[in-house]
Amino acid sequence: MSRGVDYAKLSVLVADDFSSFRHTVSGMLSSLGVKKIELASNAREAIQCCEHKFFDLILCDYNLGDGRTGQHVLEELRHRGLINRQTLFLIVSAESSRTIVLCAYDCEPDDFLMKPINARMLQQRIERLVRQRDALAPAMRALDAKEHAVAAQVLEQVAGRQTRHAVAAQKMLGTVLLSQGDLDRAEALYTRALEVRQLDWARLGLAQVRQARGDLDLAGEWLQKIVEENPMFLPAYDSLAENWNKRGDRLQEQTAVQKAVEISPLSILRQKYLAIVAQENADLVTAVVAQRRVVKLGRLSCYGAAEDHFHFARLVADAVEQELDLGSDIGTEAINFLKNAKDAYPLDDSAACSVHLLEGRLHALAGRKPAAQESLTEAEALMYEGSEDIVLEVDRMHALFALGENPRAEALLNDLRVIFADDQRALERLDVFLSEPASASNSALVADINREGIDLYNHGRFDEALACFDRARTLFPRHVGIHLNIVQSLVGKLKETGRDQETVEECARALRRAGRLINTEHPQYTRFSRLKAMAHSAMGH
C-alpha cells in the first residue's frame, strides 16, 4: 500500500498484443502490491474478461494487433454496459502521431500513457486516478443509479473543498446540472471557475448554458472563439455543430462537423453524422466519402451495422443518377459493400430485401438489365402485401425507375400516396419521386429555395443561383420547375459571360435532364420549349 491506495484490493486487466509488455506491466503491478491481475492479448480477450469480471483498472494498448484498437475496446465496453464509472480505463500507446493521440482522447479514456512506461510513472498515474475516483465514488454511484440530485449534492461538496479533486468535481457537476436543465446553477459554477482561470471546459460550459437558454447567436460567437483559440478542442466543435443546427444553417453545421472529422477521422459516429448532414445539404460527394469511411470503420466497431452498407449504396445510386463523377468503379464498390453486409451481419427478410433492391438499382444504372431484373424478382419474392414498409417501397420504386419500368413505379407511387396520406414522414420520402412535393415540410423547403434562387438570378448572381437550384435538384430530382430554373440560370449566365465550353456542356446536360421528365401534356411544356430554344441560341446550336 502507498499513499492511501490499497493495491491489494485492486483488480487490474492488462491488454496488449506483446507478451513481453503484458508481463513487464504485470511485474510492475505486482511490485506495487496488486494481487488480482488478468492478461489479454487482443481486443476479443479483453472484452471477454470484462463480460465475466469487474475491474478497477484496465490498461489497454492502443494498437492491439488484430485490427481493433483500445478505442474499439473502450467503445464496446461502454456500449454494452460492461464497465461503469468506477472502472478506470487507461490507453497505452507507442503511437505518437497527432491523429492517433487525438482519436484516443476523443473516446475519453481516464488517461493516456505513452510508451515506454516505468514503474514510477505507472504508480503516479494509478494513485492519482484511484484517489480521484474514490473521492468522487458516491457521485458516480448516484449517476449510475440515475439519482442526479444526489450526485449533484455530492459533487458540490467536493468542488467546494480546496483539494486536488475540486476541478474534476466542478467539471462533472457542470455536466450534471446542464443535463438536468439547472441552468442558473450551471452558469454560476462556470462563471466562478472562469474568475480563477480561463479554462476551455468552463468556457464551453458557459456557451452551452447560453445555447440552452436560446441565446444562439451569442453562444455561437463564444463557441467560434473557443475553436479559433483551441482548434483541437473537439467538444467545442460538437456544440458548434448543434448551434448551427438550431439556427437552421445546415451548411455551417456541416463545416463544423467536417472540421471535427479532420481532427478525429477514426470516429465512426462523427463520420455517420457528416454523411447525414452532407446528404441533407445535397453534397453527395462528401456524403459518399464519409459513408464509405463509416462502412470501413464499422468492420471493427460495435457501432457498425448492415444499414451503413445500405446507406452507402443508396448514396452511390443517387450520385450516379445525378451524373456526379465519383469514378467508374463506384457502383461495383457499392455492390461489393452489399455483399459484405450479407457476410458480416445476420439479415432478416426485410434487410435481405433491401440488399436485393439496392443491387437491382445499381445493376440497372450500370446497364446490366438482366442482373437488375433478377435482383428485383428476388426482392419482391420476400415482400408481402400490406407490409407498408416505406423504406423498402422507396427502394423498390428507385429500382423500378432505374429499370425503366415507369408505369409500375408510378402505379406503386400513387398507391403509397394514398396509404401514407396522413404520414408526413413517409410523404417526405416519397417527395423524391414527385414533380411537386406532397409533404408540407418539403413544399415549404422548395418554395424557400426557389425564392432564394430566383432572387439571386434576378440580381445577375448566376453561379449562386445555380448552386441554390442544384441543391434543390439533388433533393428533389423529379421536380420539373427546379430543372427549368437551372436551364434558365445557365442561359442567363451564357448571355452574360459568353460561351465558355464548361457552361455550354452543363446547359446541354440540364436540357437533357429536364427533357427526360417532361412531355407534351405536362403543364410546364410550353416553358420548357421556350427555354430549349433560348438555350440552343445561347449555346450557338
Side-chain angles (χ1 to χ4, degrees):
M1 184 188 299
S2 174
R3 295 176 61 189
V5 174
D6 189 348
Y7 287 98
K9 291 185 177 180
L10 294 182
S11 178
V12 182
L13 172 64
V14 180
D16 197 288
D17 56 325
F18 286 105
S19 61
S20 59
F21 182 81
R22 293 196 301 272
H23 292 297
T24 297
V25 173
S26 178
M28 293 178 187
L29 292 168
S30 295
S31 69
L32 292 172
V34 180
K35 299 185 182 304
K36 293 174 284 188
I37 304 171
E38 292 199 23
L39 307 178
S41 63
N42 54 47
R44 178 181 55 80
E45 290 181 4
I47 292 167
Q48 285 178 340
C49 287
C50 295
E51 288 174 338
H52 302 105
K53 187 174 182 180
F54 168 81
F55 291 97
D56 295 284
L57 175 67
I58 299 174
L59 286 158
C60 187
D61 187 30
Y62 184 84
N63 186 354
L64 290 169
D66 65 345
R68 284 193 288 178
T69 65
Q71 179 178 347
H72 292 125
V73 172
L74 179 53
E75 285 178 345
E76 184 162 345
L77 292 177
R78 286 175 176 161
H79 182 65
R80 295 174 56 189
L82 296 177
I83 59 174
N84 58 27
R85 290 176 174 84
Q86 297 283 66
T87 297
L88 298 167
F89 194 102
L90 280 71
I91 289 182
V92 185
S93 179
E95 298 274 1
S96 60
S97 72
R98 190 183 77 168
T99 296
I100 296 298
V101 172
L102 287 171
C103 287
Y105 274 116
D106 194 18
C107 64
E108 298 183 340
D110 292 284
D111 211 337
F112 181 90
L113 297 177
M114 289 296 301
K115 292 181 179 179
I117 63 175
N118 56 47
R120 180 172 176 77
M121 177 196 304
L122 185 61
Q123 179 181 0
Q124 288 175 338
R125 296 297 180 96
I126 290 175
E127 290 186 350
R128 177 174 61 81
L129 290 169
V130 170
R131 293 177 70 178
Q132 178 172 290
R133 182 198 68 173
D134 291 347
L136 301 177
M140 292 178 176
R141 286 193 292 270
L143 288 173
D144 284 334
K146 301 189 183 307
E147 297 173 347
H148 297 93
V150 174
Q153 184 178 13
V154 172
L155 290 168
E156 203 156 32
Q157 291 172 354
V158 178
R161 299 174 193 148
Q162 296 300 314
T163 70
R164 66 182 64 187
H165 312 303
V167 172
Q170 285 179 322
K171 290 176 68 175
M172 191 179 294
L173 176 59
T175 301
V176 171
L177 294 174
L178 275 173
S179 70
Q180 296 304 296
D182 195 341
L183 302 183
D184 290 339
R185 289 172 68 194
E187 184 171 20
L189 181 148
Y190 292 127
T191 301
R192 286 196 302 272
L194 289 171
E195 287 172 353
V196 177
R197 185 178 170 193
Q198 288 296 300
L199 299 161
D200 281 336
W201 63 264
R203 296 170 68 197
L204 173 61
L206 202 55
Q208 290 171 332
V209 168
R210 289 293 181 188
Q211 190 153 295
R213 292 191 190 282
D215 195 349
L216 299 179
D217 291 342
L218 182 59
E221 289 177 19
W222 289 359
L223 291 166
Q224 191 64 48
K225 187 173 182 180
I226 292 171
V227 297
E228 286 172 0
E229 295 177 1
N230 186 355
M232 299 295 113
F233 190 36
L234 283 162
Y237 289 104
D238 297 333
S239 291
L240 186 58
E242 180 185 356
N243 181 272
W244 286 118
N245 177 279
K246 289 179 179 294
R247 291 158 78 179
D249 194 329
R250 304 310 300 275
L251 292 175
Q252 289 285 8
E253 179 185 4
Q254 180 179 334
T255 298
V257 179
Q258 281 179 294
K259 288 180 179 177
V261 164
E262 289 169 8
I263 296 167
S264 183
L266 302 183
S267 169
I268 184 173
L269 297 181
R270 292 184 192 282
Q271 295 283 4
K272 285 189 180 190
Y273 185 4
L274 177 56
I276 290 170
V277 72
Q279 182 183 15
E280 291 173 349
N281 284 330
D283 183 356
L284 287 179
V285 174
T286 298
V288 166
V289 171
Q291 192 62 29
R292 176 191 286 118
R293 193 66 176 153
V294 168
V295 172
K296 292 181 177 180
L297 290 171
R299 293 169 184 167
L300 300 172
S301 172
C302 61
Y303 295 114
E307 181 57 37
D308 297 332
H309 299 243
F310 305 162
H311 190 198
F312 180 76
R314 293 185 186 107
L315 287 171
V316 167
D318 288 345
V320 171
E321 288 176 347
Q322 297 292 332
E323 301 177 7
L324 300 179
D325 184 10
L326 291 171
S328 58
D329 295 331
I330 190 71
T332 301
E333 182 183 11
I335 289 174
N336 287 335
F337 277 10
L338 291 172
K339 292 177 180 175
N340 293 339
K342 290 188 284 188
D343 296 334
Y345 302 98
L347 304 182
D348 58 18
D349 283 350
S350 177
C353 189
S354 290
V355 170
H356 292 311
L357 289 171
L358 292 166
E359 285 177 337
R361 183 182 177 191
L362 290 163
H363 281 308
L365 292 172
R368 297 186 291 268
K369 190 168 183 176
Q373 190 62 62
E374 180 181 351
S375 294
L376 180 59
T377 300
E378 289 177 338
E380 291 184 327
L382 294 172
M383 300 177 77
Y384 59 90
E385 289 295 324
S387 69
E388 296 188 9
D389 187 328
I390 188 63
V391 175
L392 287 181
E393 295 295 6
V394 166
D395 282 339
R396 176 156 63 155
M397 277 190 293
H398 274 301
L400 288 169
F401 277 122
L403 268 166
E405 296 190 18
N406 291 19
R408 281 190 63 197
E410 295 287 356
L412 176 60
L413 179 58
N414 290 333
D415 288 343
L416 293 173
R417 289 185 67 179
V418 173
I419 293 170
F420 295 104
D422 297 322
D423 186 339
Q424 285 294 310
R425 298 295 295 274
L427 290 177
E428 287 173 6
R429 289 180 175 272
L430 297 178
D431 284 341
V432 70
F433 302 103
L434 300 172
S435 59
E436 290 287 344
S439 70
S441 59
N442 283 336
S443 294
L445 178 59
V446 167
D448 287 344
I449 293 174
N450 267 332
R451 275 195 296 271
E452 181 183 355
I454 290 168
D455 184 61
L456 291 166
Y457 171 85
N458 288 334
H459 286 84
R461 296 159 64 180
F462 299 112
D463 286 333
E464 293 172 75
L466 284 165
C468 187
F469 290 133
D470 204 51
R471 173 172 173 258
R473 178 181 66 88
T474 303
L475 295 171
F476 309 104
R478 295 176 64 82
H479 193 294
V480 172
I482 291 170
H483 282 269
L484 296 183
N485 286 342
I486 290 172
V487 174
Q488 186 166 341
S489 296
L490 287 164
V491 169
K493 182 179 179 180
L494 284 168
K495 289 181 176 179
E496 180 76 18
T497 63
R499 295 172 188 164
D500 68 278
Q501 189 61 29
E502 183 178 347
T503 306
V504 168
E505 291 175 358
E506 179 54 35
C507 190
R509 284 194 294 271
L511 275 174
R512 289 196 301 271
R513 287 193 294 258
R516 287 196 290 264
L517 297 173
I518 203 164
N519 57 39
T520 56
E521 298 177 358
H522 195 282
Q524 295 211 55
Y525 183 76
T526 301
R527 183 189 176 201
F528 170 69
S529 298
R530 186 177 71 254
L531 284 173
K532 184 177 180 180
M534 293 169 61
H536 284 162
S537 174
M539 291 187 292
H541 292 178

